[in-house]
Amino acid sequence: MMIKVGALLTFLLILVTASQAQQRPALITNIEGRHTMDLNGRWQTIIDQYETGYYDYRYQPSTDGYFKNAKPKSPSDLIEYDFDASEQLNVPGDWNSQDQRLLFYEGTVWYKKSFDYQKKDRTRLFVYFGAANYLADVYLNGQKLGRHEGGFTPFNFEITNLVREKDNFLIVKVDNKRRRDAVPTLNTDWWNYGGLTRDVNLVEVPDTFIEDYFLQLKKGSTNEIAGWVKLNGAAGSKVVTVEIPEANVKQTVTTDANGYAPVSFKARLNLWSPENPKLYSVKVSTDVDSVGDRIGFRSIETRGTDILLNGKPIFLRGICIHEESPLRGGRAFSKDDARMLLTWAKELGSNFVRLAHYPHNEHMTRLADEMGIMVWSEIPVYWTVLWDNPDTFVNAKNQLDENITRDKNKASVILWSVANETPVSEARLKFLRGLVDHARSLDPTRLLTAANERHYADPNTQLIDDPLGEYLDVLGCNEYVGWYDGLPEKADRLQWKINYNKPLIISEFGGDALFGNHGDKGVRWTEEYQKNLYEHQLAMLKKIPSLRGMTPWILTDFRSPRRPLPRIQDFYNRKGLISSRGERKQAFYTLQNFYRGLIKEGK
Ligand code: GCU
């Protein structure tokens, strides 16, 4: 009984702090469709491992920190930093791959960008960050705008009343130190790239502007669009027009006092699919604001163990991808990076990618829309986060919220994933159910999943019975038979038992191989071993009746601090099918042939 009361109190505490977090600044969506000025380029930076620019020597937050961008007023003045004389880094970009001294650096780096701005009447100004890893404290002209936690989702702050005509200085303290209570937590198998890793833009909008909108097909429909529009600004109640000229759609709605209005109307649409990635030009406008977008419309559902795209069963021929620029190294951030990664995935025969283990930049999902590649989008609730910590839950929920807010109009995104390889427990189940419920409340149109684990019912039977499966639409399962679990041939004798009548995606399998390292197929780290592993895996997996997709681990080798083996790993996870220099390994062609076979079968 006492335990039940304790658990209830914890959960209530989670809810309370969750509501407090709701006060986050509203997130503006579809920056590409807005009037923006980018602040990308060279930023002055100060490496501040001891956070001297933030805390005083008593480790109390200082009121006179580096965010003041102070300058000596007289020769006797004591100022111990000077942004304008400091080194520079590129934004967007992580600091680790730009400066060899910072490759392993985890701590604080201060960024400063100066800019002038021509103020306009009845115009508001926001500063928008595509992402900053991990904890960002943002200041303009010495004033604190706010803090954002989470390294892979966008955030913005209004600066209308703070910006001036000349010499504005925008200062961001970015801290990528890992913390036990954070999301992700201390331990991950990817490089902890720090910095202003994505585009930074000034966004100009009218006094009352179109903050956000949701326009997708109603669940289960292929001709009814349902959603909403949300205005931001004093004049809440306004007429909003939604136009899709190509589909002869011109709908007007009137918002309530909070600037919100539901939208629903019928339309004859050419549905989005990998074979036909049709995107419509959509315009949302009021008398003072107008936002243009390109949106695809498709329905995605499950029926028993089938996944239905536009009402037809599909098979997801996928691959996992980390957000790392293949040849340049470092965090991927540009449209070219995205195009290279997705083009390589297409070359494999993929119609689906799992963007692991965190939301990738918006260029990836926009390009997936254009290229007709379906997307599994995930937040970094990875391995063992602090399930009982209310702040950890709120943090994860915020990241989910920001991810869904940014990409909810992307036809390519079909699955929201709330976790990867998390240990079964009551607290974990409550935590992840909270995230699943939140995702469903924000987006009733997409499927919910997670990359879970399986265990052995007996030495030859792998069992999927994770209690979280109950609350998901699609089961994800990571397994490493042939690498961490026995040798590749073990797959030949294994059965699968799945306790849910739901579609299954094998969200990870694979093994390491160093490109160009050759030998007998029984020798680890050789291309022959990896190829052999894939052959036995694919033979095993295609026997699973409810298998509806797979995303082998992984498209390219990627940096990881957990992989020190000299002359083989050298701090790279070598499970890529493509090396970090873009070379295709033998297993690349094994999977490509397998996918070509499925395509021939119409899958
Ligand atoms: C895990 C994990 C990945 C990791 C991979 C590996 O399953 O989800 O992030 O890189 O296995 O060990 O290579």
Side-chain angles (χ1 to χ4, degrees), residues 524-541:
R524 285 197 185 247
W525 313 109
T526 62
E527 289 192 46
E528 288 75 12
Y529 187 107
Q530 189 187 45
K531 177 171 178 286
N532 182 42
L533 182 149
Y534 268 73
E535 288 162 352
H536 288 274
Q537 274 283 341
L538 296 171
M540 171 185 67
L541 296 181

Side-chain angles (χ1 to χ4, degrees), residues 188-190 322 354 356-357 378 382-383 420-421 451 453 478-480 483-484 507-512 553-554 558 560 562-563 573-575:
T188 73
D189 191 29
W190 67 79
H322 256 305
R354 176 183 174 208
H357 291 289
E378 184 163 295
Y382 181 92
W383 289 346
N420 179 74
E421 293 186 355
E453 298 174 299
N478 296 359
E479 52 86 8
Y480 279 91
W483 187 256
Y484 298 122
S507 38
E508 287 183 37
F509 73 82
D512 290 61
W553 191 259
I554 184 167
F558 61 95
S560 167
R562 300 177 77 250
R563 311 293 173 174
N573 182 311
R574 299 287 183 194
K575 293 190 180 69

Side-chain angles (χ1 to χ4, degrees), residues 395-406:
N395 180 356
K397 192 165 173 271
N398 288 344
Q399 297 189 36
L400 182 64
D401 208 302
E402 289 162 357
N403 189 27
I404 295 177
T405 298
R406 189 196 76 184

Side-chain angles (χ1 to χ4, degrees), residues 471-505:
Y471 308 97
L472 302 175
D473 302 300
V474 173
L475 309 172
C477 178
N478 296 359
E479 52 86 8
Y480 279 91
V481 173
W483 187 256
Y484 298 122
D485 174 9
L487 298 175
E489 291 70 19
K490 178 176 180 177
D492 307 348
R493 61 178 171 79
L494 293 179
Q495 308 302 319
W496 286 79
K497 186 169 178 313
I498 298 150
N499 279 9
Y500 298 101
N501 181 37
K502 294 185 177 186
L504 171 67
I505 294 175

Side-chain angles (χ1 to χ4, degrees), residues 191-388:
W191 207 264
N192 184 23
Y193 292 112
L196 294 177
T197 50
R198 295 181 189 160
D199 300 338
V200 182
N201 280 286
L202 294 177
V203 185
E204 247 182 15
V205 289
D207 278 349
T208 297
F209 68 93
I210 299 160
E211 174 193 299
D212 195 3
Y213 49 89
F214 186 21
L215 295 169
Q216 285 282 285
L217 283 174
K218 190 172 172 205
K219 189 81 185 169
S221 164
T222 55
N223 66 353
E224 186 179 349
I225 291 177
W228 46 264
V229 291
K230 173 85 177 60
L231 302 182
N232 180 316
S237 177
K238 259 185 181 304
V239 172
V240 180
T241 305
V242 176
E243 293 168 80
I244 313 178
E246 233 186 309
N248 302 317
V249 166
K250 186 165 186 165
Q251 285 283 326
T252 60
V253 292
T254 304
T255 61
D256 62 21
N258 301 320
Y260 177 86
V263 174
S264 107
F265 53 87
K266 296 256 185 217
R268 284 171 58 81
L269 298 161
N270 186 348
L271 299 178
W272 183 96
S273 69
E275 298 71 32
N276 171 45
K278 170 67 185 168
L279 298 177
Y280 283 89
S281 293
V282 175
K283 191 169 109 178
V284 181
S285 60
T286 65
D287 57 343
V288 291
D289 196 13
S290 168
V291 183
D293 205 342
R294 299 179 67 226
I295 301 179
F297 299 98
R298 51 95 193 96
S299 78
I300 189 76
E301 308 158 83
T302 63
R303 186 182 56 208
T305 58
D306 279 339
I307 299 175
L308 307 177
L309 176 70
N310 301 329
K312 296 197 201 71
I314 53 167
F315 188 89
L316 301 170
R317 305 184 309 270
I319 189 78
C320 286
I321 300 180
H322 256 305
E323 188 188 41
E324 207 169 74
S325 171
L327 306 180
R328 189 187 67 238
R331 271 274 167 252
F333 58 76
S334 67
K335 200 154 197 161
D336 291 345
D337 292 335
R339 190 174 298 286
M340 185 185 282
L341 289 164
L342 294 178
T343 303
W344 289 359
K346 272 218 153 177
E347 187 195 330
L348 256 180
S350 294
N351 61 4
F352 176 57
V353 290
R354 176 183 174 208
L355 303 183
H357 291 289
Y358 37 77
H360 289 209
N361 63 76
E362 196 172 354
H363 296 299
M364 270 305 249
T365 48
R366 279 214 179 272
L367 212 52
D369 267 10
E370 287 169 27
M371 293 171 72
I373 298 179
M374 293 173 280
V375 169
W376 162 310
S377 175
E378 184 163 295
I379 56 168
V381 176
Y382 181 92
W383 289 346
T384 313
V385 305
L386 289 183
W387 309 113
D388 289 317

Side-chain angles (χ1 to χ4, degrees), residues 25-172:
L27 183 58
I28 303 174
T29 50
N30 181 19
I31 295 304
E32 269 190 33
R34 313 268 180 177
H35 188 248
T36 59
M37 293 145 275
D38 82 53
L39 293 177
N40 294 343
R42 303 292 279 170
W43 287 52
Q44 284 99 9
T45 57
I46 300 175
I47 301 165
D48 185 12
Q49 195 172 21
Y50 282 43
E51 299 181 281
T52 311
Y54 188 81
Y55 295 106
D56 63 21
Y57 81 115
R58 292 273 178 252
Y59 215 67
Q60 296 307 308
S62 157
T63 54
D64 194 25
Y66 292 175
F67 49 84
K68 288 292 184 194
N69 189 29
K71 298 288 178 190
K73 292 191 183 57
S74 74
S76 64
D77 256 4
L78 172 60
I79 305 288
E80 295 187 277
Y81 67 94
D82 180 354
F83 275 107
D84 297 325
S86 297
E87 295 179 49
Q88 301 184 350
L89 287 172
N90 291 330
V91 170
D94 61 276
W95 59 61
N96 313 72
S97 62
Q98 291 189 58
D99 182 329
Q100 195 50 32
R101 297 171 306 162
L102 299 175
L103 180 59
F104 287 87
Y105 181 67
E106 294 185 302
T108 282
V109 172
W110 292 85
Y111 287 78
K112 182 192 75 91
K113 186 76 173 179
S114 296
F115 65 93
D116 298 341
Y117 175 68
Q118 189 58 52
K119 295 189 124 181
K120 300 179 185 71
D121 289 346
R122 288 192 298 287
T123 300
R124 296 165 65 188
L125 191 67
F126 289 74
V127 57
Y128 180 97
F129 297 84
N133 192 49
Y134 173 77
L135 190 63
D137 290 288
V138 186
Y139 307 81
L140 183 72
N141 301 338
Q143 300 294 316
K144 179 107 184 218
L145 300 178
R147 162 174 279 193
H148 181 264
E149 178 159 0
F152 304 100
T153 47
F155 56 100
N156 52 223
F157 299 105
E158 178 157 14
I159 58 173
T160 311
N161 303 327
L162 278 175
V163 74
R164 55 194 185 210
E165 305 276 334
K166 285 272 171 235
D167 303 325
N168 293 284
F169 54 93
L170 178 65
I171 291 182
V172 189

